[in-house]
Amino acid sequence: MPYDHTAPGAEHYLPVLEEIAAEVAAKPGRGRSADYIPALACVDPDRFGMAVADLDGGVCGVGEWRTPFSTQSITKVFALALVLAHEGTGLWEHVGREPSGNPFNSLVQLEYEHGIPRNPFINAGALVVTDRLQTLTGDASADLLAFLQAESGNPELGFDLEVAASEAAHGDRNAALAHFIASYGHIRQPIPPLLDHYFRQCSIEMNCADLALAIGFLARHGVRADGSRLLSRSEAKQVNAVMMTCGTYDAAGDFAYRVGLPGKSGVGGGIVAVVPGRCTVCVWSPGLDERGNSVAGVAALDRFTTLTGLSVF
Amino acid sequence: MPYDHTAPGAEHYLPVLEEIAAEVAAKPGRGRSADYIPALACVDPDRFGMAVADLDGGVCGVGEWRTPFSTQSITKVFALALVLAHEGTGLWEHVGREPSGNPFNSLVQLEYEHGIPRNPFINAGALVVTDRLQTLTGDASADLLAFLQAESGNPELGFDLEVAASEAAHGDRNAALAHFIASYGHIRQPIPPLLDHYFRQCSIEMNCADLALAIGFLARHGVRADGSRLLSRSEAKQVNAVMMTCGTYDAAGDFAYRVGLPGKSGVGGGIVAVVPGRCTVCVWSPGLDERGNSVAGVAALDRFTTLTGLSVF
Amino acid sequence: MPYDHTAPGAEHYLPVLEEIAAEVAAKPGRGRSADYIPALACVDPDRFGMAVADLDGGVCGVGEWRTPFSTQSITKVFALALVLAHEGTGLWEHVGREPSGNPFNSLVQLEYEHGIPRNPFINAGALVVTDRLQTLTGDASADLLAFLQAESGNPELGFDLEVAASEAAHGDRNAALAHFIASYGHIRQPIPPLLDHYFRQCSIEMNCADLALAIGFLARHGVRADGSRLLSRSEAKQVNAVMMTCGTYDAAGDFAYRVGLPGKSGVGGGIVAVVPGRCTVCVWSPGLDERGNSVAGVAALDRFTTLTGLSVF
Amino acid sequence: MPYDHTAPGAEHYLPVLEEIAAEVAAKPGRGRSADYIPALACVDPDRFGMAVADLDGGVCGVGEWRTPFSTQSITKVFALALVLAHEGTGLWEHVGREPSGNPFNSLVQLEYEHGIPRNPFINAGALVVTDRLQTLTGDASADLLAFLQAESGNPELGFDLEVAASEAAHGDRNAALAHFIASYGHIRQPIPPLLDHYFRQCSIEMNCADLALAIGFLARHGVRADGSRLLSRSEAKQVNAVMMTCGTYDAAGDFAYRVGLPGKSGVGGGIVAVVPGRCTVCVWSPGLDERGNSVAGVAALDRFTTLTGLSVF
């Protein structure tokens, strides 16, 4: 049964969301919007929205929780889940699952580790995941978009081709990563179309409600919105674990320390987080810290787990 | 009220522990004992023990769960907790809390990051923690030992001075780390006695029951065995988070992926793990993988969370 | 006045060349041919030729000194000289002149140093040089070939398009380097045609006599074979200096220590060396050491400077 | 026959030295004195002296060519020569002879290369050389001082114990290097006294005339001032080659490019350079560039080789 964004059931989270929104509003001016993509750079860094979804598709939110934003790296967790659903553990021959201890687009570690990216959430690893998804489905970005539409219940989700083109125009670094990994045999698709899929994937626009709903399968231990199973319970645990240790660039330790939930961030300013067996959260605020995570977003999630006691620890 | 190792209350875990012990026994010969300390190298890598403690001090176990072994790096989590209890967040000016992405005794990252160790569980960071503890208490290793005796309820715990001397005799690498950090001002105590405290701390002998009980304060959200509070709920969450992202050397991602619990390992072959609000586990088997974690220990914890569903994810 | 390979004037070097050839012949089986290009891998590693040219175009040789081989990285020194002749010191804004301390195709240092390659003789730096030459001349590889034809007096020199295609087919690593440098703005030409020029440049076939003659302008302090000036005396000194400190991959220190001459090697097994104001030498033997230099080639040059006393030191 | 600093024979270099001194005086304010040793930090960075010595012990100079200054790393070349004289090539099992491509006191490369320092002139390598000299002579710093007194003909040379103490007080970084190398077995002497010898060695005070005379054995292809042989011709060539590729920290490529002579610098602001078979030069000016070489010193040597044409290239 499809559900819509106004489905009831999560309203009991509203008071805490409103308290957080008030706190965030009282401290503007934190962080800077991502500056390497013109289409992202012009977004006001102080915008803010936050939504919580329960396990049954109920969702509520505060601020600009219905405003679409660029999901960017948040899509990496969905791509990972789809590849695991298709081929199980075969993926791990081509990408690791350890935190990197380095900036998200570093080539250094990749060289020392023979072209096997540290994890699926650094750019290098996400390129490997997209390469696998392309091999498995023949149209990686379309397959991902269809999954997000289904899980969010929002058939209007789409690519922002202007953002994708903007990233492609500044894509030398990702091209370097892809060629480098290919030189070790861990990417097999032709690189120019692979990069197209990758940039389209990152350009998908969603709002906080869409994302909180879409990530629900990880709170439901692998079960999709329609009740079918995408991942085994063990696989869902594994994806949550990879988010916990690798989901917020080179700040995963700090995110775990402050928030205590599996989460995945993007340079568009969004962050999704999962409370296994309970609910999911998505927050958006474009102002980023120097490691690429939303300043107000991390602060809001920190407050959320403190106020609700919902940390996994 | 002090409790002893035979306190009832955790017996319902016995069947699963016995199942795991049988599985482990069926697959001997995995891993090698740590070879850089003669006193550890001669231990049979196939020995095995495992214990679970509940929140009230009940404990049960299988195999050699009452056999003392060298705790080594496991003590780093207790030292961290004591420093946080003493001075709160001041510690974080001198050590980070991000996974390292490098071997446990690497100097490379330390140089790139201006002498601030990545986290308190790599050797470099643990030296900073011991330096702080020494400054705060005047006798870091004695203070730590007293804490472990109190929490485990075992007053006979002590240093293995032969192991400590053996480590000191091969201590050039740790001396290099300490001098290097001191050159950036993040270690302040004189280095030779600091190293003595560090090596003594690592040499403490405990068994699985001792350790499962001693780590109980992290499952009780900061409350000690005697009911007094060591850490705030938030601080306990933070220590668990640091264990999750940094507790098993350069295999924290894999440990989270497979086990899904905060844990801390040592090259003596022990691992402790925490199920917040539920129980603690300690497993010991000296055969190590190439990253320094007990092969049978990780496998046993992997089976434990699979069989009990007790992962935090 | 054009000269040919049989011009007299260098015959007094023949006895020492013959002594060296005899020594080399007595010790076969050293080194392995480059294995990453099929067209190079099938060459017998024990083949050997050596030639000396004097300042006036006289040349003599031993062994297979008239057998063409793949010049590979040796062409980098000619490309450097042409760019310096065209634009003087402007090049040094985009490439350094320090030895790298790393393998020839490493990306690590490039990342730490913001996309400015360490020197013009590692692959990354040579790509920058080719990018400049392409910008300055509009046809980098044709311009280079014409120069080599003129200086060697051999109008039949040409590209080996099979070798160029073979390198292009395994060119992901060089593509990664080029995209990476471009991401920092130090390469400006479109990358696919730039790589074509680069691979063609490396594929030029020459023999020992051709190369000894062609490098003569560096022994003549910048003066070409026809008496015109390519480089100022100071610029010629500079190119020799870059060869001395960076000309033999990550073995420049050892080459200076043993041979004591500015030199440039290629993975085809060739090495050219310059005795400023006196003569030039080229040696060829395809068996390489682990750092990519000809084993018999370095040994032959070591003996040459020992027997003649012609080291610059 | 001992010689003194006023021995005639080098006066024909005076006009060029005076021209250089005038040029340097016209451009004050370049560079900063070394700031990590208080005793060096207070020296006026614009002081300047320069001396040339011929092969027979004649010496002339300009500016403060008779003012003693702290030789620092310049002594590393003499220590290397003494160890080679004692034990030949055995040293090279414990230290390499490749340029490092890294700052002079880096631990990074040392870790990747298993504790074997890249060359004898970075601090790590010099510690290995001092360790060998201490093993071979029993009193490394006294042996070195005696050699410098003999070659310079100046019996009053001595250690500056205040400078040595100052370095020891800030010696954590060098202690880290020494312990780190010892952990790989490439340093064998006890580390505290080894560091004392190292710091005393660096503290020796000499003036430009002393140093130009003392380094004469490298211009005389291995022959000492008294006509006895310290090194074979081949060994002298090798030491010159190591100076050329590694003698000026991470600027050896630039020094070769600009000056074109084997040279060795120190953070006291001195640089010695060798014109094999012709003469030696020493220049002193305390203002350093960001890589630790004297700004006016490199400029003066650049002008010297340009004006005299004495570059080895």
Side-chain angles (χ1 to χ4, degrees):
Chain A
M1 181 191 71
Y3 47 82
D4 78 278
H5 295 169
T6 57
E11 289 76 14
H12 55 289
Y13 290 110
L14 261 183
V16 66
L17 294 186
E18 284 164 354
E19 180 175 345
I20 293 168
E23 290 178 15
V24 167
K27 293 192 197 169
R30 300 175 301 180
R32 300 181 1 147
S33 300
D35 55 5
Y36 72 101
I37 305 172
L40 300 182
C42 58
V43 183
D44 176 0
D46 288 330
R47 298 175 72 172
F48 178 83
M50 190 170 185
V52 176
D54 63 22
L55 300 186
D56 304 315
V59 62
C60 67
V62 292
E64 302 193 56
W65 66 295
R66 293 178 183 281
T67 303
F69 58 87
S70 194
T71 54
Q72 296 294 319
S73 289
I74 297 176
T75 55
K76 293 177 168 66
V77 68
F78 298 99
L80 170 64
L82 290 176
V83 170
L84 292 178
H86 276 291
E87 67 167 348
T89 58
L91 172 68
W92 304 118
E93 296 170 23
H94 305 289
V95 63
R97 49 194 184 234
E98 292 301 331
S100 77
N102 275 295
F104 68 98
N105 55 359
S106 171
L107 278 91
V108 171
Q109 206 159 36
L110 202 49
E111 178 161 349
Y112 286 124
E113 300 185 349
H114 310 295
I116 297 181
R118 275 244 141 185
N119 66 64
F121 294 157
I122 52 174
N123 285 18
L127 286 163
V128 170
V129 171
T130 301
D131 179 70
R132 295 305 305 155
L133 191 60
Q134 179 66 8
T135 299
L136 293 163
T137 71
D139 193 341
S141 51
D143 197 66
L144 178 68
L145 181 62
F147 178 77
L148 292 170
Q149 290 171 333
E151 296 308 296
S152 67
N154 183 350
E156 295 175 8
L157 298 183
F159 305 118
D160 183 330
L161 296 178
E162 183 190 353
V163 165
S166 181
E167 296 220 49
H170 299 84
D172 273 313
R173 185 97 177 201
N174 281 309
L177 287 169
H179 280 290
F180 192 72
I181 298 166
S183 76
Y184 287 97
H186 296 294
I187 278 181
R188 289 164 188 178
Q189 295 285 329
I191 286 170
L194 174 66
L195 290 172
D196 286 343
H197 279 285
Y198 177 76
F199 293 135
R200 276 202 298 276
Q201 165 186 321
C202 291
S203 81
I204 295 173
E205 291 221 315
M206 299 174 75
N207 64 33
C208 290
D210 295 328
L211 274 165
L213 291 165
I215 201 74
F217 72 98
L218 289 177
R220 289 185 297 266
H221 303 300
V223 175
R224 294 182 61 163
D226 66 1
S228 67
R229 180 166 287 282
L230 179 73
L231 300 175
S232 70
R233 185 184 181 98
S234 182
E235 289 168 335
K237 173 186 88 171
Q238 292 161 355
V239 175
N240 281 326
V242 178
M243 280 208 288
M244 177 67 91
T245 55
C246 314
T248 43
Y249 307 119
D250 193 24
D254 193 61
F255 188 83
Y257 175 91
R258 292 179 60 189
V259 176
L261 291 177
K264 183 74 203 82
S265 59
V267 294
I271 310 176
V272 294
V274 174
V275 189
R278 298 289 291 269
C279 65
T280 59
V281 192
C282 180
V283 61
W284 171 60
S285 183
L288 306 181
D289 62 26
E290 73 283 358
R291 292 189 286 195
N293 297 305
S294 168
V295 176
V298 175
L301 290 168
D302 181 349
R303 292 298 293 152
F304 180 80
T305 55
T306 300
L307 292 170
T308 61
L310 283 176
S311 153
V312 302
F313 302 123
Chain B
M1 179 192 72
Y3 47 81
D4 79 278
H5 296 171
T6 57
E11 289 77 14
H12 55 288
Y13 290 110
L14 261 183
V16 68
L17 294 185
E18 284 165 353
E19 181 175 343
I20 292 168
E23 290 178 15
V24 167
K27 293 192 195 168
R30 300 177 299 180
R32 300 182 1 149
S33 301
D35 56 4
Y36 71 101
I37 306 172
L40 301 182
C42 58
V43 182
D44 176 0
D46 288 330
R47 297 176 72 172
F48 179 83
M50 190 171 185
V52 176
D54 62 22
L55 300 186
D56 304 315
V59 62
C60 69
V62 291
E64 300 194 58
W65 66 295
R66 293 178 183 283
T67 303
F69 58 88
S70 194
T71 54
Q72 296 293 318
S73 290
I74 298 176
T75 55
K76 292 177 169 65
V77 68
F78 299 100
L80 170 64
L82 290 177
V83 170
L84 292 179
H86 276 290
E87 65 168 349
T89 58
L91 172 68
W92 304 118
E93 296 169 23
H94 305 289
V95 64
R97 48 194 185 232
E98 293 302 330
S100 76
N102 275 295
F104 68 97
N105 55 0
S106 170
L107 279 90
V108 172
Q109 206 159 36
L110 202 50
E111 178 162 349
Y112 286 124
E113 300 186 346
H114 310 295
I116 298 182
R118 274 245 141 184
N119 66 63
F121 294 157
I122 52 173
N123 285 19
L127 286 163
V128 169
V129 171
T130 301
D131 179 69
R132 296 305 306 154
L133 191 59
Q134 179 66 10
T135 299
L136 293 163
T137 70
D139 192 342
S141 52
D143 196 66
L144 178 68
L145 182 61
F147 178 78
L148 292 171
Q149 290 171 333
E151 296 307 296
S152 69
N154 182 350
E156 296 176 6
L157 298 184
F159 305 118
D160 183 330
L161 296 179
E162 182 191 354
V163 165
S166 180
E167 295 221 50
H170 298 84
D172 273 313
R173 185 96 179 202
N174 282 308
L177 287 169
H179 280 288
F180 192 72
I181 298 165
S183 77
Y184 287 96
H186 296 293
I187 279 181
R188 290 163 186 177
Q189 295 284 329
I191 286 171
L194 174 66
L195 290 172
D196 285 344
H197 279 285
Y198 177 77
F199 293 135
R200 276 202 298 276
Q201 165 186 321
C202 291
S203 81
I204 295 173
E205 291 221 315
M206 299 174 75
N207 64 33
C208 290
D210 295 328
L211 274 166
L213 291 166
I215 201 74
F217 71 100
L218 288 178
R220 288 185 298 266
H221 303 301
V223 175
R224 296 184 58 164
D226 65 3
S228 66
R229 181 166 286 283
L230 179 73
L231 301 175
S232 70
R233 186 183 180 99
S234 183
E235 288 169 334
K237 174 187 87 171
Q238 292 161 355
V239 175
N240 280 327
V242 178
M243 281 208 288
M244 177 67 89
T245 55
C246 314
T248 43
Y249 308 119
D250 193 24
D254 193 61
F255 188 83
Y257 175 92
R258 292 178 60 189
V259 175
L261 292 177
K264 183 75 204 80
S265 59
V267 293
I271 309 177
V272 293
V274 174
V275 188
R278 297 290 291 271
C279 65
T280 59
V281 192
C282 181
V283 61
W284 171 61
S285 182
L288 306 181
D289 61 28
E290 74 282 1
R291 292 189 287 195
N293 297 306
S294 168
V295 175
V298 174
L301 290 168
D302 180 349
R303 292 298 292 152
F304 180 79
T305 55
T306 299
L307 293 170
T308 61
L310 283 175
S311 151
V312 301
F313 302 123
Chain C
M1 181 191 74
Y3 46 83
D4 79 278
H5 295 169
T6 56
E11 290 76 14
H12 55 288
Y13 290 110
L14 261 183
V16 67
L17 294 186
E18 284 164 354
E19 180 175 345
I20 292 167
E23 290 178 15
V24 167
K27 294 191 196 169
R30 299 175 300 179
R32 299 181 3 148
S33 300
D35 55 4
Y36 71 101
I37 305 172
L40 300 183
C42 58
V43 182
D44 176 0
D46 288 330
R47 298 176 72 172
F48 179 83
M50 189 170 186
V52 176
D54 63 23
L55 300 187
D56 304 315
V59 62
C60 68
V62 293
E64 300 194 58
W65 66 295
R66 293 178 182 281
T67 303
F69 58 87
S70 194
T71 53
Q72 295 294 319
S73 290
I74 298 176
T75 56
K76 292 178 168 69
V77 68
F78 298 99
L80 170 64
L82 289 177
V83 170
L84 292 178
H86 276 291
E87 66 168 350
T89 57
L91 172 68
W92 305 118
E93 295 169 22
H94 305 289
V95 63
R97 48 192 186 235
E98 293 301 331
S100 76
N102 276 295
F104 68 98
N105 55 0
S106 171
L107 277 91
V108 171
Q109 207 160 33
L110 202 51
E111 179 162 348
Y112 286 124
E113 300 186 347
H114 310 296
I116 298 181
R118 275 246 142 184
N119 66 63
F121 294 157
I122 52 175
N123 286 19
L127 286 163
V128 170
V129 171
T130 302
D131 179 70
R132 296 304 306 154
L133 191 59
Q134 179 66 9
T135 299
L136 293 164
T137 70
D139 192 342
S141 51
D143 196 66
L144 178 68
L145 181 62
F147 178 78
L148 292 170
Q149 290 170 334
E151 295 308 296
S152 68
N154 182 351
E156 295 175 7
L157 298 183
F159 306 118
D160 182 329
L161 296 178
E162 183 191 353
V163 165
S166 180
E167 295 220 50
H170 298 84
D172 272 314
R173 185 96 178 202
N174 282 309
L177 287 169
H179 280 290
F180 192 73
I181 299 165
S183 77
Y184 287 97
H186 296 294
I187 278 182
R188 290 164 186 178
Q189 294 285 328
I191 286 170
L194 174 66
L195 290 171
D196 285 343
H197 278 286
Y198 178 76
F199 293 136
R200 276 203 297 276
Q201 165 187 321
C202 291
S203 81
I204 295 172
E205 291 222 315
M206 299 173 76
N207 64 33
C208 289
D210 294 328
L211 275 164
L213 290 166
I215 201 75
F217 72 99
L218 288 177
R220 288 185 298 266
H221 303 301
V223 176
R224 294 183 60 163
D226 66 3
S228 67
R229 181 166 286 282
L230 179 73
L231 301 175
S232 70
R233 185 183 181 100
S234 181
E235 288 168 335
K237 174 186 88 170
Q238 292 162 355
V239 175
N240 280 327
V242 178
M243 280 208 289
M244 177 67 91
T245 55
C246 314
T248 44
Y249 308 119
D250 193 24
D254 194 60
F255 188 83
Y257 175 92
R258 291 179 61 189
V259 176
L261 291 178
K264 183 75 204 79
S265 59
V267 293
I271 310 175
V272 294
V274 175
V275 189
R278 298 291 291 268
C279 65
T280 59
V281 192
C282 179
V283 61
W284 171 61
S285 183
L288 306 181
D289 62 27
E290 75 281 358
R291 292 189 287 195
N293 297 305
S294 169
V295 175
V298 175
L301 289 168
D302 181 349
R303 291 298 292 151
F304 180 80
T305 55
T306 300
L307 292 170
T308 62
L310 282 175
S311 153
V312 302
F313 302 123
Chain D
M1 181 191 73
Y3 46 81
D4 79 279
H5 295 171
T6 56
E11 290 76 13
H12 54 290
Y13 291 110
L14 261 183
V16 68
L17 294 186
E18 285 164 354
E19 180 175 345
I20 293 168
E23 289 178 15
V24 167
K27 295 191 196 169
R30 298 175 302 180
R32 299 180 4 147
S33 300
D35 56 4
Y36 71 101
I37 306 171
L40 300 183
C42 57
V43 182
D44 175 0
D46 287 330
R47 297 176 72 172
F48 180 81
M50 189 170 184
V52 176
D54 64 21
L55 300 186
D56 303 315
V59 63
C60 68
V62 292
E64 300 194 57
W65 68 293
R66 293 178 183 282
T67 303
F69 59 87
S70 194
T71 53
Q72 296 293 319
S73 289
I74 298 176
T75 55
K76 292 177 169 65
V77 68
F78 297 99
L80 171 64
L82 289 177
V83 170
L84 293 178
H86 276 291
E87 66 168 350
T89 58
L91 172 68
W92 304 118
E93 296 170 22
H94 305 290
V95 63
R97 49 192 183 234
E98 293 301 332
S100 76
N102 276 294
F104 68 97
N105 55 359
S106 169
L107 278 90
V108 171
Q109 205 159 36
L110 202 49
E111 178 162 348
Y112 285 125
E113 301 186 346
H114 311 295
I116 297 182
R118 274 245 143 185
N119 67 62
F121 294 157
I122 52 175
N123 285 19
L127 286 163
V128 169
V129 171
T130 301
D131 180 70
R132 297 303 307 154
L133 191 60
Q134 179 67 8
T135 300
L136 292 163
T137 70
D139 192 343
S141 51
D143 197 64
L144 178 69
L145 181 61
F147 178 77
L148 292 170
Q149 290 170 333
E151 296 307 296
S152 67
N154 182 350
E156 295 175 8
L157 299 182
F159 306 117
D160 182 329
L161 297 178
E162 183 191 353
V163 165
S166 180
E167 296 221 48
H170 299 84
D172 272 312
R173 184 97 179 202
N174 282 308
L177 287 169
H179 280 289
F180 191 73
I181 299 166
S183 76
Y184 286 98
H186 296 294
I187 278 181
R188 289 163 187 178
Q189 294 285 330
I191 286 170
L194 175 66
L195 290 172
D196 285 343
H197 278 286
Y198 178 76
F199 292 135
R200 275 202 299 276
Q201 166 186 320
C202 291
S203 81
I204 294 173
E205 291 221 317
M206 298 174 75
N207 63 34
C208 289
D210 295 329
L211 275 165
L213 290 165
I215 201 74
F217 71 100
L218 289 178
R220 289 185 297 265
H221 302 300
V223 176
R224 295 183 59 164
D226 66 1
S228 67
R229 182 166 284 283
L230 179 73
L231 301 174
S232 71
R233 185 182 181 100
S234 182
E235 288 169 335
K237 174 186 87 169
Q238 292 163 353
V239 175
N240 280 327
V242 178
M243 281 208 287
M244 176 68 89
T245 55
C246 315
T248 43
Y249 308 119
D250 193 23
D254 193 61
F255 188 83
Y257 175 92
R258 292 179 60 189
V259 175
L261 291 177
K264 183 76 204 79
S265 60
V267 293
I271 309 175
V272 294
V274 174
V275 189
R278 298 291 290 270
C279 65
T280 59
V281 192
C282 180
V283 61
W284 172 61
S285 182
L288 306 181
D289 61 28
E290 73 281 1
R291 292 189 287 196
N293 297 306
S294 168
V295 175
V298 175
L301 289 168
D302 181 348
R303 292 297 292 152
F304 181 80
T305 55
T306 299
L307 293 170
T308 62
L310 282 175
S311 152
V312 302
F313 303 122

